[in-house]
């Protein structure tokens, strides 16, 4: 019996999962993008942090290395990729907490985290699921907590637009190209939603986004 929820795997096909790390290292400016995302969060000692769609755990481990006293959790729908993340975590002095689950129904109580990261996850979700995932992120963030996204965004030039068009055959990036991700974040209740960086990559335009949960916000539903 297949007990995994439905999801698009890291490189679209399950058989490519084991090649995810070497391919992304080779094809994508991952170090610059991941470092900038972690830097913008300014994580403090003791803060609980969640990385959703954590994949092989590269960003999750970078967060832990940057702030070793933070409590860093990684969540992914795919058990196979979580096994790779676990092996990498086992080689690390300070372990991360890994869990299987889906972005649209996060297995955490309201107001658990100071920061939630989402790196290259959102373009794996349908429009409805992106909106549901953003609501879930809002729910599990503490008031004043922050969301940090790295994902496809609105292209600023023709080359990036053409590359993004190609990606539309494989993944759910149409809303990203239309610049709708920040608007979805605002609709989920986030304020100060801001594009903080823009990268030209061979897959298309990638942006970093920061969004804040207002200090006076409360999470309505309980899980
Ligand atoms: C392109 S990979 C990104 C992995 C990692 N965050 C990174 O930056 O390299 C997308 C990840 O999202 C996961 N994923 C897809 N749909 C998901 C869902 N509904 N809930 C949780 N994870 C999901 C996939 O299993 C995959 O590991």
């Amino acid at each position: 019996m297949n007990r995994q929820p439905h999801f698009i795997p890291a490189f679209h096909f399950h058989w490519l999962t084991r090649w995810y790390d070497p391919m992304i290292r080779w094809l994508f400016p991952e170090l610059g993008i991941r470092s900038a995302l972690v830097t913008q969060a300014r994580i403090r000692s003791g803060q609980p942090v969640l990385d959703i769609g954590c994949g092989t755990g590269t960003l999750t481990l970078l967060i832990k290395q940057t702030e070793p006293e933070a409590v860093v959790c990684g969540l992914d729908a795919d058990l196979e990729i979580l096994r790779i993340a676990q092996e990498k975590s086992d080689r690390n002095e300070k372990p991360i907490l890994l869990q299987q689950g889906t972005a649209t129904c996060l297995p955490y109580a309201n107001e658990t985290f100071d920061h939630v990261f989402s790196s290259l996850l959102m373009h794996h979700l349908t429009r409805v699921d992106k909106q549901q995932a953003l609501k879930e992120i809002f729910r599990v963030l503490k008031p004043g907590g922050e969301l940090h996204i790295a994902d496809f965004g609105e292209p600023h030039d023709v080359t990036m637009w053409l590359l993004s068009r190609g990606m539309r055959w494989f993944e759910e990036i149409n809303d990203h190209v239309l610049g709708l991700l920040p608007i979805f974040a605002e609709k989920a209740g986030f304020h100060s939603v801001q594009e903080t960086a823009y990268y030209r990559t061979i897959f298309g335009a990638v942006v970093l986004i920061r969004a804040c949960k207002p200090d006076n916000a409360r999470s309505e539903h309980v899980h």
Side-chain angles (χ1 to χ4, degrees), residues 21-40:
D21 271 352
M23 282 170 74
I24 215 87
R25 203 175 304 132
W26 185 48
L27 297 170
F28 198 70
E30 68 161 345
L31 188 60
I33 290 178
R34 296 189 196 290
S35 305
L37 197 64
V38 176
T39 303
Q40 81 171 27

Side-chain angles (χ1 to χ4, degrees), residues 169-195:
W169 289 102
F170 296 100
E171 302 193 344
E172 302 279 345
I173 82 159
N174 212 18
D175 288 338
H176 299 240
V177 173
L178 295 171
L180 293 179
L181 206 51
I183 294 168
F184 292 160
E186 279 168 3
K187 278 198 177 146
F190 287 97
H191 78 151
S192 307
V193 181
Q194 205 189 341
E195 194 178 298

Side-chain angles (χ1 to χ4, degrees), residues 205-218:
V206 168
V207 296
L208 304 192
I209 295 171
R210 177 176 39 228
C212 305
K213 178 167 175 171
D215 285 327
N216 57 0
R218 286 278 165 259

Side-chain angles (χ1 to χ4, degrees), residues 7-8 10 20 34 53-55 76-78 81 101-103 119-121 124-125:
F7 61 89
I8 301 176
Y20 183 79
R34 296 189 196 290
C54 65
D76 201 285
D78 185 356
I81 209 158
T102 173
S119 163
L120 303 176
L121 161 73
H124 286 237
L125 308 179

